Amino acid sequence: MQKLLRKFVTNARVLTINQKVRNNPTGFVSLRDFDVTPGGTVSLKTIAQKPNISLYALNHFNQEVIFVETPPEIDLSERPFLYQAQYDEAIRLYSMSYRSFFKLADMVRQPDKQLILIHSVGRCGSTLLSTVFNNLPDVLSLSEPEAFTEIVKRREPNGRNEDQMAKLLDAVLQVQCRPTNQIAPKMYAIKFRSFSTVMIDLLHRVAPQSKHIFLYRNAEDRARSIARAFRTVEAGNEVLDPANLRVRTQFVPLLSQYADRATSGELSKVEFSMLAWLSGMQKYLEMDAAGVPMCAVRYEDMIAEPQHIVETLFEYCGLPTTPERLALGVKAFERDSQQGSSLARTTLKQDAQNQLTDEHLAEIHQLLAEHSTIKTADFIVPGTIQPK
């Protein structure tokens, strides 16, 4: 029996892909994205030694971790969203238990791993900033690795499973950030999905030397961008049952203050999106007050003064600021950073159905009026890089 258990801990299951069945390109990822057939086992050493096998998703309920194998020549960091590229390029999957995953994390651990962690309120240039860092020859920047989503979802508000989540987050950081076939980086950058701002405190606990960058944008302009990207204006209100409300509140904590409206279907998609903006901004303020070192960037300033913002961020992250390196960073501004994805500019609808009305703006201003601190759409957080 002990021999069988040791084999289970030191091996991963191979899953042969029969068909890719994912429907929503921006939805949360899981093993259900694929129709698979079990196909034997491989050692954890094999997973550790093959850079083209990358972490895809966690399933906390089943204590299971899913990996994706992609062709060795494919550079996933060049794509706008890692999770979409992994799905598109997947040729094989692997599954392992949490116990095996923790063992794998120790196998690939880099004790002095240098991390740049990019947080945002969404639709404010975070994908562009990820490309800025990825253009450097010694930085690997990963845009929206999805495994972190499960940690946000399963972290209990009362802190009861905080130690478990910290251990899991540490393992994810170690396994997600490792050399690829294209680069052996000196520093790693991770651009998170927007709701991951709620996890800044846990990230600071696990990786206290990390450089945190927070991007944000005028709330009204962001709402207009969200409407074009996700059609929040034309979408009808959603009635949230208690279970769904609990999950959504994990990502948008301020939703708890509007639970009655959410469960009765009276909360519009524009209002829900605005609460997400407020939750991200509030979390930043809380972390700043708690003394967590962070640097904030306004989208408007980054677009207006890319050279100044890029140079200041490189200095903050301890990166050299030679003219050649700054030119590589600024070069990212020459193209659509989300080109090739479902959120590329050329694919977003510009018709009247996706434009904010006076009623939507009134909803935004009402939520601002009800917040204790953030009262204006153009609120400036402390620690923001000042334009020249």
Side-chain angles (χ1 to χ4, degrees):
M1 177 61 73
Q2 290 298 318
K3 186 176 181 180
L4 285 174
L5 288 174
R6 283 196 299 272
K7 180 179 179 181
F8 177 72
V9 175
T10 57
N11 284 278
R13 290 192 305 152
V14 180
L15 302 173
T16 301
I17 299 173
N18 302 320
Q19 188 177 1
K20 297 179 181 180
V21 295
R22 180 173 167 82
N23 293 320
N24 182 358
T26 62
F28 299 156
V29 307
S30 73
L31 180 57
R32 293 190 299 273
D33 296 341
F34 305 88
D35 174 40
V36 298
T37 301
T41 62
V42 297
S43 67
L44 295 185
K45 185 177 180 181
T46 298
I47 303 289
Q49 292 178 343
K50 295 188 72 171
N52 58 311
I53 299 179
S54 58
L55 176 60
Y56 184 64
L58 305 178
N59 183 325
H60 193 62
F61 183 79
N62 293 331
Q63 302 279 288
E64 182 181 38
V65 184
I66 304 300
F67 287 77
V68 164
E69 181 176 356
T70 54
E73 68 276 10
I74 297 295
D75 186 355
L76 296 175
S77 72
E78 292 292 331
R79 305 293 181 85
F81 303 109
L82 178 66
Y83 67 91
Q84 289 186 7
Q86 288 174 307
Y87 174 80
D88 291 340
E89 302 294 344
I91 57 177
R92 194 173 293 106
L93 303 182
Y94 301 87
S95 168
M96 68 179 67
S97 67
Y98 271 17
R99 188 176 176 189
S100 297
F101 183 56
F102 293 136
K103 185 176 181 67
L104 176 65
D106 288 336
M107 291 171 65
V108 301
R109 183 175 298 278
Q110 297 171 264
D112 300 320
K113 187 172 291 182
Q114 301 297 304
L115 298 174
I116 302 168
L117 304 179
I118 303 172
H119 315 278
S120 79
V121 296
R123 305 302 297 173
C124 59
S126 56
T127 306
L128 171 59
L129 185 58
S130 177
T131 305
V132 167
F133 286 113
N134 207 48
N135 280 354
L136 298 177
D138 52 357
V139 178
L140 173 62
S141 187
L142 301 175
S143 179
E144 302 195 7
E146 181 68 344
F148 297 98
T149 298
E150 187 74 354
I151 297 175
V152 174
K153 187 188 299 184
R154 304 302 177 186
R155 188 183 179 196
E156 297 184 18
N158 60 12
R160 186 168 52 188
N161 66 346
E162 199 73 348
D163 289 345
Q164 182 188 28
M165 291 295 103
K167 181 179 180 180
L168 188 58
L169 178 58
D170 170 71
V172 170
L173 288 171
Q174 293 300 327
V175 174
Q176 195 84 74
C177 300
R178 53 193 180 124
T180 69
N181 286 322
Q182 289 76 30
I183 182 175
K186 295 180 181 178
M187 185 171 280
Y188 298 87
I190 300 175
K191 175 250 174 171
F192 298 99
R193 290 210 188 199
S194 60
F195 49 72
S196 295
T197 53
V198 300
M199 196 172 54
I200 294 175
D201 54 333
L202 190 62
L203 284 162
H204 181 63
R205 170 185 169 178
V206 170
Q209 301 306 314
S210 299
K211 300 295 185 179
H212 292 271
I213 300 173
F214 177 74
L215 281 91
Y216 65 107
R217 182 181 189 178
N218 178 286
E220 291 182 15
D221 293 336
R222 172 189 173 273
R224 292 186 179 96
S225 181
I226 290 280
R228 290 192 298 271
F230 301 106
R231 305 179 184 180
T232 52
V233 170
E234 62 183 72
N237 295 5
E238 185 178 357
V239 178
L240 300 183
D241 60 52
N244 201 349
L245 177 65
R246 281 195 299 273
V247 172
R248 299 285 186 94
T249 303
Q250 291 289 93
F251 300 110
V252 183
L254 286 177
L255 184 60
S256 62
Q257 299 180 18
Y258 298 85
D260 290 344
R261 294 186 60 204
T263 53
S264 63
E266 297 174 11
L267 196 71
S268 75
K269 290 293 179 66
V270 172
E271 288 176 302
F272 179 85
S273 176
M274 183 60 190
L275 287 173
W277 183 88
L278 281 167
S279 291
M281 296 284 282
Q282 179 173 294
K283 187 66 177 184
Y284 176 89
L285 293 177
E286 291 170 356
M287 294 298 95
D288 178 71
V292 176
M294 292 183 290
C295 180
V297 180
R298 292 176 72 244
Y299 171 78
E300 294 83 355
D301 297 333
M302 186 169 68
I303 297 303
E305 301 182 13
Q307 180 85 14
H308 169 60
I309 296 298
V310 168
E311 183 173 5
T312 305
L313 286 176
F314 281 9
E315 290 174 349
Y316 168 72
C317 295
L319 292 166
T321 57
T322 63
E324 295 78 15
R325 290 174 67 90
L326 290 176
L328 286 173
V330 174
K331 188 176 178 62
F333 290 77
E334 296 176 3
R335 62 186 291 269
D336 180 5
S337 61
Q338 298 183 348
Q339 184 176 324
S341 77
S342 60
L343 297 179
R345 292 177 195 149
T346 54
T347 65
L348 300 186
K349 295 183 67 176
Q350 302 289 336
D351 56 56
Q353 281 186 301
N354 294 289
Q355 304 301 317
L356 295 186
T357 65
D358 289 342
E359 181 180 350
H360 296 126
L361 293 174
E363 291 176 343
I364 289 172
H365 293 156
Q366 181 61 37
L367 291 174
L368 286 168
E370 293 169 357
H371 194 273
S372 59
T373 305
I374 305 168
K375 297 292 187 181
T376 62
D378 59 354
F379 185 87
I380 307 296
V381 302
T384 297
I385 297 176
Q386 295 301 307
K388 283 187 175 181

